[in-house]
């Protein structure tokens, strides 16, 4: 479970027991889904200490998300990072999932609020649990239209779309869903970005109709470091089905390969793919290990 009677959370400037923290049932966030959050991970490094991966990027995105939906944001990235390290220490966490959420006060209307509140929760997460390749289903659900939502923001309400898609995929015997954008092009998973590999080159949907993931940016960074060719472009589902292999990437999912999309089994063995090299580089990067350039599969 996420917490027990000893778990401490960061709650509006204080450290309190998770079981004792209260939020207002009249919060606009609960009724209309207008809260913003982050999904962050910390990893135990070789030194035995914990390191929050891309902490600045995550807390900056939290601020961007809040501002995108007109929520007052009164914290600095530095203070929230310091609070998160303190929180990890208080809960004796090294490999953790960290969930900050900014939420609204009591407000049954649609008007702007004068203040926001913040909680940061953290719980233990084992690194790289999901090494099994995924069976992915083309979802009947499309991602939210960027003309209707601020899709670069991680807004709680957007995740109803993710829940619907993920549950549909699981009800049909798949592990996860792949959603298209409002034009029918490949967008992303319910909580992860997508890449495919063809002839040693990687492809991923351009930004515009997706959440620009921090892991996606890290994969692009790794490609540059390893001199793997990568292209951001518009991708059709048919094109994706002709890939050698494909993967999802996200803070929680990390880099996780696909076995198949609908009935199409990807022909390339994961262990022989460039994608696997990217996965290994990501595994090293999160724990602060330098890239092993000789590992590159050309
Ligand atoms: N797309 C969606 C819809 C997500 O919820 C997430 C998870 N935040 C991602 C992509 C991946 O983003 P990140 O790599 O920043 O975790």
């Amino acid at each position: 479970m996420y917490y027990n009677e000893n778990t401490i959370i960061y709650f509006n400037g204080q450290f309190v027991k998770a079981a004792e923290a209260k939020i207002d049932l009249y919060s606009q966030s609960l009724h209309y889904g207008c809260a913003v959050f982050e999904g962050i991970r910390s990893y135990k490094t070789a030194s035995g200490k914990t390191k929050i991966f891309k902490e600045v990027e995550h807390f900056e995105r939290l601020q961007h998300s809040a501002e995108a939906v007109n929520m007052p944001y009164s914290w600095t990235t530095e203070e929230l990072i310091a609070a998160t390290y303190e929180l990890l220490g208080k809960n004796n966490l090294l490999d953790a999932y960290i969930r900050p959420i900014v939420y609204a006060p009591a407000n049954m209307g649609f008007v702007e609020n004068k203040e926001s509140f913040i909680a940061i929760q953290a719980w233990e997460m084992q690194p790289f649990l999901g090494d099994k390749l995924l069976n992915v289903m083309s979802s009947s659900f499309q991602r939210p239209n960027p003309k209707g939502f601020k899709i670069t923001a991680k807004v709680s309400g957007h995740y109803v779309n993710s829940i619907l898609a993920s549950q549909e995929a699981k009800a049909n015997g798949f592990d996860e869903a792949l959603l298209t954008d409002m034009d029918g092009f490949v967008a992303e998973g319910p909580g992860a970005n997508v890449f495919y590999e063809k002839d040693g080159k990687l492809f991923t949907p351009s930004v515009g109709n997706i959440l620009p993931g921090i892991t996606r940016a890290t994969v692009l960074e790794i490609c540059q470091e390893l001199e793997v060719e990568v292209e951001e472009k518009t991708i059709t589902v048919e094109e994706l089905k002709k890939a050698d292999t494909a993967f999802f990437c996200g803070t929680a999912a990390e880099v996780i390969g696909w076995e198949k999309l609908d009935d199409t089994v990807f022909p390339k063995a994961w262990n022989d793919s460039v994608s696997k090299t990217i996965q290994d580089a990501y595994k090293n990067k999160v724990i602060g290990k330098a890239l092993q350039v000789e590992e590159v599969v050309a």
Side-chain angles (χ1 to χ4, degrees):
M1 271 310 287
Y2 303 107
Y3 69 97
N4 60 32
E5 68 276 12
N6 299 317
T7 305
I8 302 291
I9 66 164
Y10 177 79
F11 198 53
N12 300 307
Q14 293 181 316
F15 291 96
V16 304
K17 288 208 163 162
E20 288 165 14
K22 292 191 174 73
I23 68 153
D24 197 321
L25 277 177
Y26 295 75
S27 165
Q28 195 185 42
S29 300
L30 180 64
H31 291 260
Y32 307 126
C34 199
V36 297
F37 69 97
E38 266 306 313
I40 313 176
R41 284 180 78 154
S42 70
Y43 292 88
K44 182 181 171 200
T45 63
S47 71
K49 290 195 179 140
T50 188
K51 168 82 179 77
I52 305 171
F53 187 63
K54 303 261 174 176
E55 68 277 44
V56 172
E57 287 84 343
H58 279 286
F59 281 105
E60 283 182 351
R61 187 170 65 186
L62 185 67
Q63 178 164 6
H64 160 77
S65 296
E67 288 169 357
V69 293
N70 308 323
M71 297 181 81
Y73 193 90
S74 56
W75 307 278
T76 66
T77 290
E78 295 68 37
E79 88 180 90
L80 294 181
I81 291 171
T84 305
Y85 273 111
E86 202 176 334
L87 179 72
L88 294 175
K90 286 185 188 300
N91 289 292
N92 296 316
L93 290 168
L94 294 168
D95 289 304
Y97 187 78
I98 301 155
R99 171 54 61 89
I101 183 159
V102 174
Y103 60 95
N107 179 357
M108 291 295 99
F110 298 152
V111 292
E112 261 184 57
N113 295 298
K114 293 202 166 46
E115 60 178 343
S116 303
F117 301 107
I118 190 166
I120 307 178
Q121 293 117 283
W123 56 90
E124 193 175 344
M125 200 173 201
Q126 289 307 318
F128 293 93
L129 270 184
D131 264 348
K132 184 190 145 299
L133 298 180
L134 299 179
N135 293 330
V136 179
M137 175 188 162
S138 299
S139 184
S140 70
F141 294 97
Q142 294 191 328
R143 289 293 293 159
N145 186 330
K147 289 182 179 152
F149 293 90
K150 297 287 182 74
I151 57 144
T152 60
K154 271 182 83 73
V155 181
S156 298
H158 297 180
Y159 285 82
V160 177
N161 171 257
S162 300
I163 287 171
L164 289 171
S166 205
Q167 290 182 356
E168 179 193 50
K170 286 181 179 119
N172 284 282
F174 290 86
D175 300 306
E176 197 46 285
L178 172 73
L179 294 91
T180 51
D181 64 20
M182 75 289 180
D183 297 321
F185 294 109
V186 172
E188 59 194 323
N193 291 114
V194 58
F195 282 76
Y196 81 80
E197 173 180 337
K198 183 80 183 174
D199 299 329
K201 182 173 168 184
L202 296 187
F203 299 86
T204 194
S206 310
V207 294
N209 297 332
I210 59 168
L211 184 87
I214 291 164
T215 318
R216 176 185 180 278
T218 308
V219 167
L220 295 175
E221 196 179 293
I222 291 170
C223 286
Q224 198 168 29
E225 287 162 1
L226 297 184
E227 294 179 4
V228 169
E229 237 192 302
V230 58
E231 188 180 337
E232 298 169 71
K233 66 192 270 291
T234 301
I235 295 168
T236 64
V237 174
E238 295 66 45
E239 180 185 341
L240 179 49
K241 286 187 176 170
K242 294 195 186 103
D244 295 335
T245 190
F247 61 87
F248 274 137
C249 68
T251 300
E254 300 174 317
V255 173
I256 176 80
W258 294 9
E259 172 99 44
K260 59 178 192 166
L261 173 59
D262 302 328
D263 293 333
T264 306
V265 177
F266 292 101
K268 188 142 195 117
W270 179 256
N271 284 337
D272 299 334
S273 67
V274 173
S275 302
K276 166 73 160 65
T277 310
I278 302 290
Q279 182 186 46
D280 290 343
Y282 186 79
K283 284 184 192 188
N284 286 337
K285 215 175 186 54
V286 294
I287 55 167
K289 248 171 86 177
L291 287 170
Q292 311 264 300
V293 176
E294 61 277 12
E295 279 176 15
V296 182
V297 181

